[in-house]
Amino acid sequence: MPRAGLSTQAVVQAAVEVIDEHGVDALTLAAVAARCGVAAPSLYKHVGGLAELKTQVGVRVLNELADRFAAAAIGRSGTDAITALMHAYRQYVVAHPARYAAMPVDPLHHPELAAAGIRQLEVIQAALRPWRLDPAGQVHTIRKLRVIAHGFASLESAGGFGLPEDLDETYQQLIATFLDSLPAHP
């Protein structure tokens, strides 16, 4: 019988805590079991193994990021929505660098991750709707947004910017460059 209070969600939460504190490479069933106060075999009542646990963590991170995107963009439109979304992206990565590193890079081609990945895309697509991009233009634009936000935030969270100029100013300039790359706003 499963331990009282232990659930799949609690196991995933413990896994996220292990990742946040010790990095992605520290995620093992033994580490999660220790955090939950159970023996590792007890976790199999809630997850099918380490691969399934990593998938569940991936779903969790994808959904957290999609939630941040939506919260940032809601009630905004056009450049304000995109700017807020890109800031939310950066803030999440900087606040949770190890957790973010646990997010799969291509969730759309994984059956258990696709729905969460699509949620992220839908929020970005909604923010880009005023530009009325054709499907190919939308893909290219989403890729550019992702590269800018991911690249900058990943470098920042890893301590990759040692020069003295203000990081917020640099990021704002990148957002402006991205927005300038979009077709004229209708």
Side-chain angles (χ1 to χ4, degrees):
M1 173 164 233
R3 179 177 166 230
L6 194 59
S7 64
T8 301
Q9 294 81 6
V11 171
V12 171
Q13 177 61 34
V16 168
E17 291 170 5
V18 168
I19 290 168
D20 283 345
E21 291 176 20
H22 306 289
V24 177
D25 293 337
L27 181 61
T28 64
L29 291 178
V32 173
R35 182 168 290 272
C36 292
V38 299
S42 297
L43 297 179
Y44 287 99
K45 295 173 183 151
H46 306 285
V47 294
L50 185 59
E52 183 181 321
L53 182 57
K54 287 179 178 181
T55 297
Q56 291 297 319
V57 167
V59 168
R60 161 99 177 255
V61 174
L62 286 161
N63 280 320
E64 285 179 353
L65 202 49
D67 290 345
R68 294 276 182 106
F69 291 173
I74 197 159
R76 300 172 189 263
S77 65
T79 59
D80 289 341
I82 295 297
T83 299
L85 191 150
M86 291 180 78
H87 280 293
Y89 197 128
R90 177 184 173 207
Q91 290 162 356
Y92 183 87
V93 176
V94 171
H96 306 288
R99 186 182 305 189
Y100 179 73
M103 186 176 75
V105 295
D106 184 17
L108 300 182
H109 292 97
H110 188 293
E112 295 172 45
L113 298 165
I118 289 168
R119 274 192 71 221
Q120 281 189 4
L121 279 178
E122 288 174 342
V123 175
I124 298 169
Q125 288 168 331
L128 289 170
R129 195 168 290 128
W131 283 274
R132 297 183 185 146
L133 300 167
D134 63 39
Q138 192 174 76
V139 168
H140 294 303
T141 301
I142 291 170
R143 285 179 181 161
K144 290 187 295 186
L145 184 151
R146 183 180 181 204
V147 165
I148 291 167
H150 166 81
F152 191 90
S154 295
L155 284 169
E156 180 181 6
S157 66
F161 296 125
L163 298 176
E165 296 305 320
D166 183 49
L167 292 178
D168 293 337
E169 175 61 27
T170 304
Y171 194 62
Q172 195 56 47
Q173 288 179 23
L174 283 169
I175 292 171
T177 300
F178 171 74
L179 292 170
D180 287 346
S181 78
L182 296 175
H185 195 279

